[in-house]
């Protein structure tokens, strides 16, 4: 009898059939589309483009409408208002100053204003003008453009102190 | 055959049966095995493994089950099995970029995936259970998934009015509108305006055949030192509204001959007051004086000029009207005078306001434009015979129609061309079989088709009549996004019900106000009850905001309230009567019910005013944004004359809730107490600039 050969043939057929359906390859040759929802040139180097996700893009829009006047060195209207203020506000991409501040701290100072956080009263409270989600989006945008880049902290820091 | 042989089968047959039944069994077993090794099961297992190794396993696996998951929204026509692999889309702990796809959480957006499904926004195939079939165009499925950079195209399917969350879509729609695509194409959500390109009936009066020839070759008037073309527009890279058509020199000669041959009513040259001419003709500083006047009138709010700054040519000025750097080499002097005097006689639908000119100013500015804003080399390389030949004129006439010029330009006596290009109002919903790729080598799906066609129409159709636009990278993407949003009438009832129609309010001004409103084209920059431009403040509530005497004075002599603005209200030289009519109408009609001007306010005490000053300067430090005199910030308006400018009731209401009066104002909404509001108001009304009513910059009349 030729049983072994029959089994051999059947096994070969089975392997071939299974090979055909293990299309793992298609998963790897699928090229993911461009991920960016929006983009912002790096403020220190306009050749460098930072890609933004949905939330950061919303933050970008709010930043350019409400915050850019005092937290950027140039504004859509031309000169910045920074030089009129004392103490001078930090640039939004100033990672050296802002990276050490927690998200909660930033959320609070934007919502409640400078004087509520024992900082300059020149920073107005935005809590009644912007929604909390909008303020969160602004912070996400600021984190995205920070130079040096922002690293998420391992543990959450206090919302009441700067450090 | 013997009876006992009937039940017997030969060994050979038995062997065949044995083998074939074994093979049959194995083949049968392949089906469940295939299922076991299918892609989605692989991702199910991977997700399980990943969740198992994390501290929040319980939460991540709360909804886990081994079968196919789907979001089913029958009214939206959604059956999306994407969640079979994308299992973490609703898990807030999986947002981090380090989480491998397909398990990452969906970014927070206004619409929840569980309510909307995935394919409503992303397109792709919701039924598919294989990676390739779900995302790409295959033989069986036509709709590919949208790359994220075009995702805003689906926002526009329902949101026909622009939403701030989808800036790329809004930009794309604006570009499509700016470039007059509606001239040739039917487009969803865009109406044909009264005028696209200028009426060419009387172009003979305006310019020369040489200039038309040059313009057709290169519809821009600026070239920089390196010969690079910069274009009229607010940014140097913006496309001009007039595209460059594919024409050769013979065709340009023919078209220019045809256009210059139109019978037109020759204009009578304007007769200047002989005393003005005599006084100014010989003055050496005539042109300089003209330039000063040109600047004082703030022509730059709408028109840009090339300025060399630090060795670089830059366009400075607005983009509402054409760029004027070389306009002196374009227009004829008599035409310019009559245009400046009354542009609405030449182009009734144009945007140029009709200034109130004194002969002196008109003479000076005309000389400035014709002398300074010129380029002697502009038409140097144009070689066409002075006299238009009959056969040129005839072929020019034919070309005018063949190229679809009549889609945007009117010529009296010629039929306007409508729907010259294909209907694009459902272009974003087209399936691959409806697209003509020609010989182009590209993936067969809608997105590369649109990208390629819009970037260069000839790339997919060598005989395309559409001219090529040179978009910036970002703008090309925006236009593709807007085209993808045009998907015709929605047949899915659930989506049809969600469409938020684009409300385009019209504002009709009648009577004497209406005449002045049309004459000065107020609505080009200002907005009235939702209608009009956005360059200047919305005047819908101007009557509640400003005091009538102040409005009158401002109209006669506009002084900017915001020192950093580059675009300022032009000096129109409105007459006293017009200023009275405009101010009266604005003050009485353009009001909001939130501000009650007739309510009785007790007189403010000086104590209140000084308390207000303290609040302004120390507690709230308003000077960080507002200037009083010369000290303070640039962000808000100058308040030095607030007492003469603003109504008391308006200030009170403004301090209560600024966004209720002007929804997009950036004045922070603060929680002032009633006493604080009164004190601040008391202080602000004391701020009066003495003598503003009388003292003013030269008003431009004949002196």
């Amino acid at each position: 009898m030729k049983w072994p050969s029959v089994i051999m043939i059947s096994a070969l057929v089975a392997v071939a059939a299974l090979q055909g359906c293990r299309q793992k390859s298609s998963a790897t040759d699928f090229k993911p589309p461009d991920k960016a929802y929006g983009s912002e040139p790096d403020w220190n180097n306009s050749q460098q483009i930072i890609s933004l996700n949905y939330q950061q893009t919303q933050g970008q829009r709010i930043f350019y409408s409400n915050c850019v006047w005092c937290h950027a060195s140039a504004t859509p209207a031309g000169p910045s208002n920074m030089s009129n203020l004392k103490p001078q506000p930090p640039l939004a991409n100033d990672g050296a100053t802002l990276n050490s501040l927690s998200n909660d701290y930033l959320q609070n100072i934007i919502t409640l204003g400078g004087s509520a956080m024992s900082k300059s009263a020149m920073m107005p409270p935005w809590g009644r003008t912007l929604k909390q989600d909008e303020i969160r989006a602004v912070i996400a945008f600021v984190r995205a453009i920070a130079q040096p880049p922002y690293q998420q902290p391992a543990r959450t820091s206090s919302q009441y102190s700067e450090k | 055959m013997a009876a006992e042989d009937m039940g017997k089968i030969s060994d050979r047959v038995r062997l065949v049966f044995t083998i074939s039944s074994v093979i049959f069994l194995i083949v049968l077993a392949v089906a469940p095995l295939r299922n076991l090794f299918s892609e989605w099961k692989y991702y199910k297992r991977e997700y399980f493994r990943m969740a198992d190794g994390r501290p929040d396993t319980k939460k991540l696996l709360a909804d886990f089950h081994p079968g196919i998951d789907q979001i089913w929204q029958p009214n939206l026509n959604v059956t999306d099995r994407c969640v079979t692999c994308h299992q973490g889309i609703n898990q807030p702990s999986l947002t981090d970029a380090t989480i491998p796809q397909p398990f990452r959480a969906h970014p927070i957006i206004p619409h929840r995936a569980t309510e909307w499904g995935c394919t409503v926004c992303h397109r792709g195939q919701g039924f598919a259970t294989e990676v390739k079939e779900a995302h790409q165009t295959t033989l069986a499925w036509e709709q590919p998934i949208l790359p994220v950079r075009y995702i805003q195209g689906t926002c526009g399917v329902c949101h026909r009015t622009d939403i701030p969350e989808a800036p790329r879509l809004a930009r794309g729609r604006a570009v499509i509108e700016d470039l007059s695509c509606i001239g040739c194409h039917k487009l969803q959500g865009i109406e044909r305006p009264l005028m696209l390109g200028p009426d060419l009936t009387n172009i003979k009066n305006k310019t020369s055949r040489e200039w038309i020839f040059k313009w057709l070759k290169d519809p821009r008037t600026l070239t920089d030192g390196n010969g690079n073309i910069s274009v009229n527009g607010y940014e140097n890279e913006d496309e001009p509204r007039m595209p460059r058509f594919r024409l050769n020199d013979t065709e340009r000669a023919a078209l220019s001959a045809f256009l210059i041959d139109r019978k037109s009513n020759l204009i009578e040259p304007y007769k200047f007051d002989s005393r003005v001419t005599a006084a100014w003709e010989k003055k050496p500083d005539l042109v300089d004086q003209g330039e000063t006047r040109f600047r004082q009138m703030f022509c730059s709010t709408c028109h840009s000029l090339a300025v060399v700054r630090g060795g670089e040519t830059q366009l400075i000025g607005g983009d509402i009207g054409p760029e004027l750097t070389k306009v002196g080499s374009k227009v004829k002097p008599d035409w310019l005078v009559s245009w400046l005097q009354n542009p609405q006689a030449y182009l009734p639908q144009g945007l140029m306001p009709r200034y109130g000119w004194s002969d002196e100013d008109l003479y000076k500015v005309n000389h400035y434009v014709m002398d300074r804003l010129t380029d002697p080399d502009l038409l140097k390389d144009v070689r066409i015979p002075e006299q238009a030949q009959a056969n040129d004129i005839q072929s020019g006439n034919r070309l005018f129609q063949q190229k679809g010029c009549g889609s945007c330009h009117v010529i009296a006596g010629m039929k306007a061309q409508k729907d010259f290009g294909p209907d694009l109002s459902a272009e974003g919903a087209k399936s691959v079989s409806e697209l003509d790729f020609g010989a182009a080598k590209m993936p067969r799906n809608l997105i590369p088709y649109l990208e390629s066609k819009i970037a260069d129409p000839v790339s997919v159709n060598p005989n395309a009549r559409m001219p090529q636009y040179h978009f910036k990278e970002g703008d090309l993407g925006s236009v593709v996004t807007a085209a993808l949003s045009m998907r015709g009438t929605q047949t899915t009832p659930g989506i049809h019900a969600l469409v938020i129609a684009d409300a385009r309010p019209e504002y009709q001004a009648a009577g004497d106000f209406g005449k002045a409103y049309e004459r000065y084209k107020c609505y080009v920059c200002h907005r009235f009850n939702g209608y009009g431009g956005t360059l200047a403040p919305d005047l819908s509530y101007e009557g509640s905001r400003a005091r009538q005497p102040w409005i009158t004075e401002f109209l006669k002599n506009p002084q900017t309230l915001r020192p950093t603005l580059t675009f300022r209200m032009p000096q129109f030289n409105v007459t006293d009567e017009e200023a009275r009519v405009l101010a009266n109408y604005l003050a009485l009609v353009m009001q909001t019910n939130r501000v009650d001007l007739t309510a009785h306010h007790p007189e403010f005490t000086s104590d209140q005013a000084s308390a207000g000053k303290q609040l302004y300067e120390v507690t709230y430090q308003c000077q960080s944004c507002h200037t009083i005199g010369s000290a303070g910030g640039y962000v808000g308006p100058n308040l030095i004359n607030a007492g003469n400018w603003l109504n008391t009731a308006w200030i009170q209401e403004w301090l209560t809730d600024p966004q209720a009066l002007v929804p997009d104002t950036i004045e922070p909404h603060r929680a002032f107490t009633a006493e604080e509001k009164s004190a601040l108001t008391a202080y602000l009304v004391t701020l009066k600039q003495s003598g503003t009513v009388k003292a003013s910059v030269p008003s431009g009349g004949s002196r």
Side-chain angles (χ1 to χ4, degrees), chain B residues 379-423:
Chain B
L379 304 174
K380 212 172 57 180
D381 55 348
V382 178
R383 306 230 183 283
I384 40 171
E386 186 77 25
Q387 275 302 309
Q389 303 294 317
N391 57 334
D392 273 350
I393 296 170
Q394 219 166 43
S395 67
N397 190 349
R398 210 171 42 242
L399 276 168
F400 190 84
Q401 291 171 46
Q402 273 173 8
K403 298 285 173 185
C405 309
S407 300
C408 291
H409 295 284
V410 180
I411 288 185
M414 285 189 79
K415 242 173 81 185
Q417 287 174 297
K418 275 208 175 124
D419 304 329
F420 186 72
D423 181 345

Side-chain angles (χ1 to χ4, degrees), chain B residues 43 47 132 169 453 517:
Chain B
Y43 288 119
Y47 179 75
K132 194 171 176 187
L169 172 66
K453 173 97 190 176
Y517 171 85

Side-chain angles (χ1 to χ4, degrees), chain B residues 645-667:
Chain B
W645 169 33
L646 298 166
N647 281 311
T648 312
W650 172 273
I651 301 177
Q652 291 261 17
E653 189 55 35
W654 183 261
L655 294 171
T656 312
D657 186 354
Q659 278 77 27
L661 297 173
V662 179
D664 55 354
T665 181
I666 60 163
E667 170 93 46

Side-chain angles (χ1 to χ4, degrees), chain B residues 82 117 166 220 327 382 392 446 449 451 491 518 532 553 597 655:
Chain B
C82 317
R220 304 143 166 87
V327 73
V382 178
D392 273 350
L446 179 63
Y449 174 83
E451 283 173 337
T491 43
E518 269 302 329
E553 223 21 69
L597 296 178
L655 294 171

Side-chain angles (χ1 to χ4, degrees), chain B residues 265-301:
Chain B
N265 311 316
L266 283 178
I267 36 169
E268 283 281 309
Y270 179 72
K271 288 221 167 34
F272 284 104
D273 189 329
S274 56
R275 280 166 300 175
V276 172
T277 329
W280 282 91
E281 221 169 10
K282 297 271 149 55
K283 282 214 176 157
D285 63 342
L286 166 64
V287 172
D288 290 329
Q289 291 269 341
E291 180 169 10
T292 312
R293 200 72 205 114
F294 183 87
R295 293 203 175 149
Q296 281 172 346
M297 294 174 82
F298 273 101
C299 306
S300 63
T301 297

Side-chain angles (χ1 to χ4, degrees), chain B residues 662-694:
Chain B
V662 179
D664 55 354
T665 181
I666 60 163
E667 170 93 46
H669 177 183
R670 292 178 186 253
F672 293 123
T673 64
E675 290 78 48
E676 284 177 326
K677 270 187 277 184
S678 295
L680 279 165
T681 312
Y683 171 58
L684 290 173
V685 296
T686 62
L687 300 172
K688 290 186 180 177
Q689 213 173 12
S690 54
T692 41
V693 179
K694 294 283 168 285

